[in-house]
Structure formats: structure tokens, C-alpha cells
Amino acid sequence: MMTAQLEAAIADRFDLLKDSFPDDLNGYQLLETAIRNHIESLKGSLLLDLGCGKGRFHSLWESAGLNSIGMDRSCGMLRGAVSRMSGNKRNGKQGSLLPLVQAAAGCLPFKTEIFDVLCSVEAISHFPDLDNAIAEMQRVLRPGGRIILVDNNYCSLDVRRPYLPAAFIKWIDQRRGYWMYPRNFSYQERWFWWPRIRRKLDEGFENIKCEYVLSHEESECRGQWIFQRFPVTRRMMLISAERKQT
């Protein structure tokens, strides 16, 4: 299947399952704090929220003083973002509407070197051509611009059964049809280990770093000491880097 067709098929899955995805940051406070630490000094910058889903991080971008644009391939997820923000307005909550764009990560509809920051949370595992997506991220970032990628860590342990690799549980659930995509689907969600992402970023980025973010569940489960003592066992990894100046 061609990449464009695969991206459309993946977007259809998100459209179908849109109600199962969160539209706020409840339960994600530790991740929110980790991301905030990377953007709090960038007030006034223009940020691209790549794979924004229902726009659940929009309040974070606003509170950090960033100007942001949300982009997603799924029309259903973007409708969810519009609905959430419109609901906030009706309920008298503070905040502006997030500009939204429907497009694929491998063909970003933006001018070259336009963004100061690019953040993608739990999205790169659904990009069928990650190399091309990273090339596009590099293209739209200004020299010295910051990239923040948050996604599942292949080396993590399962929070309910910390004696088993989370990727193994995922593999079993995929075969049983309990995961994001059906067993016979033409694409399956990919998890990465940190050195592989670093190699993909090496050509166009510098100051590449990785941190493993503790989740609320990991901090309170029976095996919490494992996740506290060995960060590499945590589910979420946050990778940050800066686009090379030349």
C-alpha cells in the first residue's frame, strides 16, 4: 500500500475510535510538567502541535505564552478539538481557539523555516514513513528551533505486570485484536527505542537528549520502585533536540 493510502487508512481508524482518546490532560500532569520544562523559556514562539488530536495540549501552549497551530491527519480528531474548544467557550472558560490544519506528517503544508518549536505527543508511532516525517519537521523548523517528541518506549515494562516487557503485552493484544489496529490491518503501531530515534535525528539535529517520564500509574503501582529506580523501564520517553544551524 502506498504511503498516502496508508496514512488515509490510519486516519480512518482514528476517526472511528476518536471517542476513546482523551481530550484533556487529566492523568497526564507529570508529562505536562516534563514538556513545560522544555518550553517555559520560549514565550512568544510559534509552535506546531504535530498530531494534535483533540487539542488536549492547547491549554499548555497558551499558559506557556506560545502561539500554536494544531495539525492532524484525522478529520474526526480535529472535529473533537473544535468541539472541545467551543465547549470551553460556552462554559466561560478562558482561552483562545487553536488554529487547526488537516494534513499528513510526511507533507507539511507550511513554508520552510517557519516554526520555532515543534512538539509531537504519541503520534510518531503512527507515522508510516517516519524518516520522511522527520525530514519535514526539519524543513519547517527554523535553524536552532526545538523539536520535542514524546512516545512509547520500546524498552518499558508493563505497569500492571512490571515483570513483563510492555512491548510483549502489546504484541499479544495486537494478535487478539485488542489494540489500536485490527490484526489484519496493513499497519501496526510502532514503538521505538531511544538510540534508533537518535540515529534518525543525527543528520539534521543536535543537542539530542532523551528522558523517561514517570506516569501517574507508574508512581502508584505495586512495582513503583522499579519505575522510580530504573527510568528506562518507564512507558513514555521525551526526546528533545535543536535543528542544526547549517
Side-chain angles (χ1 to χ4, degrees):
M1 186 181 290
M2 299 293 289
T3 300
Q5 294 174 316
L6 193 51
E7 288 171 338
I10 292 171
D12 288 343
R13 288 295 298 173
F14 276 93
D15 290 346
L16 180 66
L17 301 173
K18 62 183 184 299
D19 293 336
S20 65
F21 293 100
D23 56 6
D24 57 38
L25 292 176
N26 289 334
Y28 288 85
Q29 288 83 0
L30 295 175
L31 177 58
E32 179 183 5
T33 299
I35 295 175
R36 185 183 294 276
N37 291 337
H38 287 269
I39 63 174
E40 59 185 359
S41 64
L42 304 175
K43 185 176 181 179
S45 298
L46 181 60
L47 175 143
L48 175 62
D49 188 347
L50 181 58
C52 67
K54 296 179 181 178
R56 59 182 170 141
F57 285 92
H58 179 44
S59 59
L60 174 57
W61 313 143
E62 275 201 316
S63 64
L66 299 175
N67 302 305
S68 60
I69 295 176
M71 199 204 86
D72 205 285
R73 180 63 178 81
S74 166
C75 184
M77 296 293 277
L78 292 176
R79 286 198 185 105
V82 171
S83 177
R84 184 187 66 81
M85 289 185 286
S86 299
N88 287 345
K89 285 291 185 182
R90 288 193 299 271
N91 294 329
K93 295 183 179 180
Q94 295 289 332
S96 62
L97 295 178
L98 172 67
L100 298 170
V101 177
Q102 184 184 12
C107 187
L108 300 179
F110 304 108
K111 294 180 180 179
T112 297
E113 299 181 1
I114 189 174
F115 292 102
D116 304 295
V117 194
L118 187 150
C119 188
S120 184
V121 181
E122 294 186 88
I124 64 171
S125 52
H126 302 281
F127 295 165
D129 188 344
L130 182 56
D131 290 333
N132 189 47
I134 288 176
E136 279 290 272
M137 296 177 199
Q138 179 185 348
R139 180 184 66 81
V140 301
L141 273 174
R142 294 190 175 111
R146 187 169 304 176
I147 187 173
I148 302 167
L149 304 176
V150 180
D151 222 297
N152 291 286
N153 167 28
Y154 185 81
C155 299
S156 62
L157 296 178
D158 184 71
V159 69
R160 290 178 296 175
R161 290 152 290 193
Y163 48 86
L164 290 175
F168 176 67
I169 301 299
K170 168 180 171 288
W171 178 79
I172 292 176
D173 286 346
Q174 282 177 336
R175 293 182 65 83
R176 299 169 69 190
Y178 294 160
W179 210 256
M180 169 77 189
Y181 304 103
R183 180 179 177 181
N184 60 349
F185 197 71
S186 51
Y187 182 81
Q188 293 296 333
E189 179 182 336
R190 293 179 296 174
W191 292 3
F192 300 95
W193 65 312
W194 148 236
R196 182 180 178 190
I197 297 297
R198 182 180 58 197
R199 287 195 297 269
K200 290 180 178 294
L201 293 174
D202 267 339
E203 182 177 347
F205 294 88
E206 58 189 2
N207 298 325
I208 307 170
K209 301 175 183 178
C210 176
E211 62 185 275
Y212 299 98
V213 183
L214 188 70
S215 72
H216 177 74
E217 292 82 1
E218 290 166 345
S219 68
E220 295 191 344
C221 71
R222 287 187 302 172
Q224 60 178 281
W225 68 271
I226 299 175
F227 299 105
Q228 295 278 4
R229 186 173 297 181
F230 304 104
V232 72
T233 64
R234 299 170 186 172
R235 173 67 66 87
M236 284 292 133
M237 61 179 179
L238 185 156
I239 298 170
S240 62
E242 296 173 0
R243 187 194 159 185
K244 291 181 179 178
Q245 296 287 345
T246 55

